[in-house]
Amino acid sequence: MHENRETSAAPVVKPGSRSAGEGNGRTARAYVSEESHGGIVPMNHSNKDGKPLAESGEGRPPIKENVRQPNTNPTPSGKAVSQGLLGALLRESFYSLKRKAAPGVDGVTWQEYETGLEDRLVDLHSRIHRGAYRAMPSRRVYIRKEDGRQRPLGVAALEDKIVQQAVVTILNQIYEEDFLGFSYGFRPGRSQHDALDALSYALLKRKVNYVLDADIKGFFDNLDKSWLVKFVEHRVADPRILRLIQKWLKAGVMEDGKWSEPQTGSPQGSVISPLLANIYLHYTFDLWVNAWRKKWAQGEVVVVRYADDSVLDSSTKQTQIASWRTYGNDWGSSVWNSTQTKRAGSNSSGLPKRTGNEEEKVNRKRSTS
C-alpha cells in the first residue's frame, strides 16, 4: 500500500473496441480510468440503505466475472498487442500525466514537452515501432516513511512515462480479465476504500475469528525480474511489448550522477510498476492462495490484497498459522514482514477491546462463533 504513482487518470478506450492481442473467442472489457464497473466492485451505498459493502468475490453473492476461472492462455502473436500504440493513445497518455510531476534524468517537464507535442509524438511513435526507442534511467529520490526510514523512488523520464502509460492502458484490458476479485491495489475502478469495504464486510458478516495481516518486506526492491518477464510472456506474446518492459527493467537508476542497475526489483514510483507488481503477485500469491484456501485451509477464509499488503480472515487459528506457514514456504522467496495473527475484535494481547457495551457484545459473539 506504499506505491506512489505518476498518473492520476488514464486514457479511455472507446466502448466496443477489442483489446489488442486478445483471442477471437474472448470479450474484451474496455478500460475506463477511475470509474467503477458493476462487475468489478460494488456501488458505494450510504450506511442507511441496508446494503452490504463488500466486494462480491469476498462476501457478497458471486458475480460472474469474479468467479470464473482466470485466463492463462497467451495472446496470439498474430495480433500484436503493440498495434495499439498509436499516436492518439500516446497523446491521451501524455495528457493523463500529472502536470506538476518532478522531471526525470532528462530534466524535461510536462509543460516543456507540450511545446511541439505533435511532432514529438510522431517521432516517439516512429522510434517505438522501429525499435529505436531507448528507455532512460530513473532518477533516484527518497521520501521519509512514518518510522523514519527512507523509501527509494524512481522518477522516470517524461517519454518513458508516456510510453509506460500507453502500455498500461493496453495491458489492463488483458489482465483485468485475469486478476482475481480480492486484488484491489492500483486497478481501474478500485481503490483502498473498496479493499477496506470488503474487509469490513468479512469481519461483520462472515464467519471470521482470526485475522492475519501480512506485508512483503521490500517487495518492489526484491522482485525477481526474470520471473516477472516469464509471467508476462505467459500471457502476452507480442515481442515488442516484451522488449519495452525489459528495457524499463534494465534501464537502471541514476543517483548522485552515478548509474547502477539493480539485479532485482522494479523502480517504485514509475507509471508501470503497479501493474507489473500486480502481474507478479497474481502468479506468485493470488492463484496460489486461492487454491490453498480451497484445498487445504480449514473453515472459511477471506482474502483481501492491496499491492504487497494482504489480510486473510479465517474461522480457525489452525488455518491461519499452520496451513499458511506450511504451504506458504512453497513459494517463499519473498520475506514476510510484521505478520500478526490475532482474534478478530481483540487487541494485541488477544483480549476483547473495551469499545462500549454494544460493540463489546458483538466482539464477544464473534469470538465464540
Side-chain angles (χ1 to χ4, degrees):
M1 300 179 71
H2 308 303
E3 177 67 20
N4 291 270
R5 302 190 65 181
E6 288 287 349
T7 59
S8 59
V12 176
V13 177
K14 294 180 179 180
S17 62
R18 293 190 57 77
S19 57
E22 296 268 284
N24 293 328
R26 303 180 60 206
T27 302
R29 182 169 63 239
Y31 170 83
V32 181
S33 172
E34 298 182 355
E35 291 183 5
S36 295
H37 188 293
I40 301 177
V41 294
M43 297 291 290
N44 289 327
H45 305 290
S46 67
N47 293 331
K48 298 180 181 180
D49 63 6
K51 297 180 181 180
L53 296 177
E55 187 271 324
S56 60
E58 294 303 309
R60 291 184 178 177
I63 294 177
K64 183 178 181 180
E65 285 183 332
N66 287 332
V67 298
R68 58 172 171 71
Q69 293 297 319
N71 191 320
T72 57
N73 297 320
T75 56
S77 57
K79 291 188 175 182
V81 175
S82 58
Q83 289 179 359
L85 288 173
L86 304 176
L89 179 56
L90 293 176
R91 186 182 305 104
E92 292 172 356
S93 298
F94 169 76
Y95 280 109
S96 72
L97 299 176
K98 291 182 178 180
R99 272 62 165 170
K100 297 181 179 180
V105 295
D106 58 347
V108 179
T109 65
W110 188 94
Q111 290 76 13
E112 292 172 344
Y113 198 88
E114 189 182 25
T115 303
L117 178 64
E118 294 305 318
D119 291 337
R120 292 177 185 269
L121 294 181
V122 169
D123 176 65
L124 177 59
H125 176 266
S126 175
R127 282 184 281 129
I128 292 173
H129 287 273
R130 288 187 291 108
Y133 164 80
R134 296 290 181 268
M136 300 187 70
S138 297
R139 182 171 64 87
R140 176 70 78 199
V141 297
Y142 293 89
I143 60 173
R144 183 176 295 275
K145 294 183 178 182
E146 294 180 357
D147 59 5
R149 294 181 298 166
Q150 298 287 326
R151 175 181 295 120
L153 299 180
V155 180
L158 190 64
E159 283 195 339
D160 292 334
K161 294 177 185 179
I162 295 172
V163 182
Q164 287 182 17
Q165 181 60 67
V167 170
V168 167
T169 301
I170 295 171
L171 294 185
N172 268 339
Q173 297 181 69
I174 296 174
Y175 284 105
E176 282 301 306
E177 294 287 328
D178 299 348
F179 289 156
L180 301 188
F182 56 76
S183 169
Y184 291 90
F186 311 108
R187 292 178 58 185
R190 295 190 170 210
S191 68
Q192 62 269 36
H193 302 293
D194 299 307
L196 292 172
D197 172 34
L199 180 59
S200 175
Y201 183 83
L203 293 173
L204 295 175
K205 301 295 184 180
R206 303 291 287 273
K207 296 180 180 179
V208 170
N209 294 322
Y210 293 90
V211 176
L212 176 71
D213 178 21
D215 167 69
I216 303 178
K217 184 178 181 180
F219 170 73
F220 286 93
D221 297 330
N222 296 289
L223 177 149
D224 191 309
K225 296 181 182 180
S226 61
W227 272 109
L228 173 59
V229 174
K230 291 178 182 178
F231 293 147
V232 177
E233 289 175 339
H234 186 66
R235 194 66 178 84
V236 177
D238 185 350
R240 186 176 287 120
I241 291 292
L242 297 174
R243 284 197 298 269
L244 285 174
I245 293 176
Q246 290 173 323
K247 286 179 180 181
W248 293 323
L249 291 175
K250 295 179 180 179
V253 296
M254 289 288 292
E255 184 174 2
D256 296 330
K258 297 181 180 179
W259 177 86
S260 63
E261 180 186 353
Q263 296 301 309
T264 60
S266 173
Q268 187 176 358
S270 68
V271 175
I272 201 169
S273 61
L275 176 59
L276 296 180
N278 274 334
I279 293 172
Y280 194 91
L281 289 170
H282 173 72
Y283 289 103
T284 60
F285 179 78
D286 293 357
L287 295 180
W288 167 79
V289 79
N290 198 41
W292 164 78
R293 66 175 176 175
K294 293 178 180 179
K295 296 181 179 180
W296 294 291
Q298 298 181 9
E300 187 174 11
V301 178
V302 177
V303 184
V304 176
R305 180 178 69 79
Y306 193 97
D308 58 333
D309 294 326
S310 301
V311 176
L312 281 79
D313 308 322
S314 72
S315 56
T316 65
K317 189 172 184 178
Q318 181 180 1
T319 292
Q320 288 288 21
I321 298 178
S323 297
W324 173 262
R325 289 178 177 174
T326 299
Y327 296 100
N329 290 332
D330 292 343
W331 69 280
S333 59
S334 298
V335 178
W336 290 90
N337 186 40
S338 300
T339 302
Q340 298 179 357
T341 302
K342 60 183 180 181
R343 188 180 298 274
S346 66
N347 55 30
S348 59
S349 64
L351 299 176
K353 292 185 293 187
R354 306 292 296 184
T355 54
N357 294 335
E358 293 301 321
E359 187 175 351
E360 196 166 299
K361 290 179 181 178
V362 174
N363 289 335
R364 287 199 299 267
K365 183 178 180 181
R366 187 186 304 134
S367 299
T368 56
S369 61

